[in-house]
Amino acid sequence: MAGESIRVTRSVSIPRSEIELRFSRSSGPGGQHAQKTETRAEAIFDVPSSVALTDAQKRRVTAKAGPVLRAVAQDERSQWRNRELAIERVVEELREALKVERKRRPTKPTRRSQERRLDQKRRRSETKRLRRPPDA
């Protein structure tokens, strides 16, 4: 498990060893079990020290999400399940930060759509005009 890598995007996968895991006690109720077991998991991914990302990718992630990606999970009672959830959340955060936003190309409305809009406005105007009381 420690040697495998996690697929982030089609071209990017990071070694599991680059995600640091910390465990602590979960908050909230839970009785004796929750008070003595460390089921809360925190996953930390240090962007600048990653060997899996290129310099350009590191810059993009740092600009969008910061130099350290951190996720906490204390949803489940099992430490293993919380560990998996925390890792999933860090990977999702990384995936979002790696996305390249495409430039929007401005488009003009077609002549037909402009005509339709104006025709609709005329009809609406006529309807409202007919509702008005006749002038005295």
Side-chain angles (χ1 to χ4, degrees):
M1 184 177 127
E4 69 182 77
S5 61
I6 302 163
R7 190 73 169 263
V8 181
T9 62
R10 268 185 279 151
S11 59
V12 179
S13 59
I14 56 172
R16 229 176 231 273
S17 59
E18 286 193 2
I19 296 178
E20 181 192 339
L21 291 167
R22 291 185 191 155
F23 302 99
S24 59
R25 293 185 182 150
S26 290
S27 64
Q32 293 172 349
H33 175 76
Q35 289 161 9
K36 67 181 182 184
T37 54
E38 298 196 337
T39 54
R40 177 183 179 269
E42 182 179 11
I44 301 157
F45 179 67
D46 187 30
V47 178
S49 66
S50 173
V51 293
L53 301 175
T54 64
D55 288 338
Q57 289 169 334
K58 286 179 187 179
R59 281 193 301 275
R60 183 178 297 124
V61 172
T62 304
K64 284 187 178 181
V68 177
L69 303 181
R70 179 177 278 118
V72 173
Q74 57 182 6
D75 313 37
E76 305 286 334
R77 288 182 62 186
S78 138
Q79 185 193 77
W80 181 84
R81 184 69 188 120
N82 282 333
R83 171 191 313 182
E84 295 305 308
L85 282 171
I87 290 172
E88 272 177 45
R89 289 172 187 169
V90 163
V91 169
E92 190 56 41
E93 211 176 320
L94 182 60
R95 191 174 290 132
E96 284 300 311
L98 281 170
K99 271 188 186 165
V100 180
E101 294 297 320
R102 300 286 173 223
K103 287 253 181 173
R104 182 189 172 276
R105 280 202 202 111
T107 57
K108 283 184 182 175
T110 61
R111 181 180 288 147
R112 180 73 183 117
S113 70
Q114 284 178 327
E115 287 170 4
R116 261 196 312 266
R117 186 179 134 269
L118 293 173
D119 193 43
Q120 219 171 2
K121 281 170 70 97
R122 272 187 222 99
R123 267 190 259 124
R124 184 77 180 141
S125 169
E126 184 64 19
T127 305
K128 288 188 164 201
R129 191 183 63 77
L130 291 171
R131 284 186 194 152
R132 275 189 244 145
D135 287 337

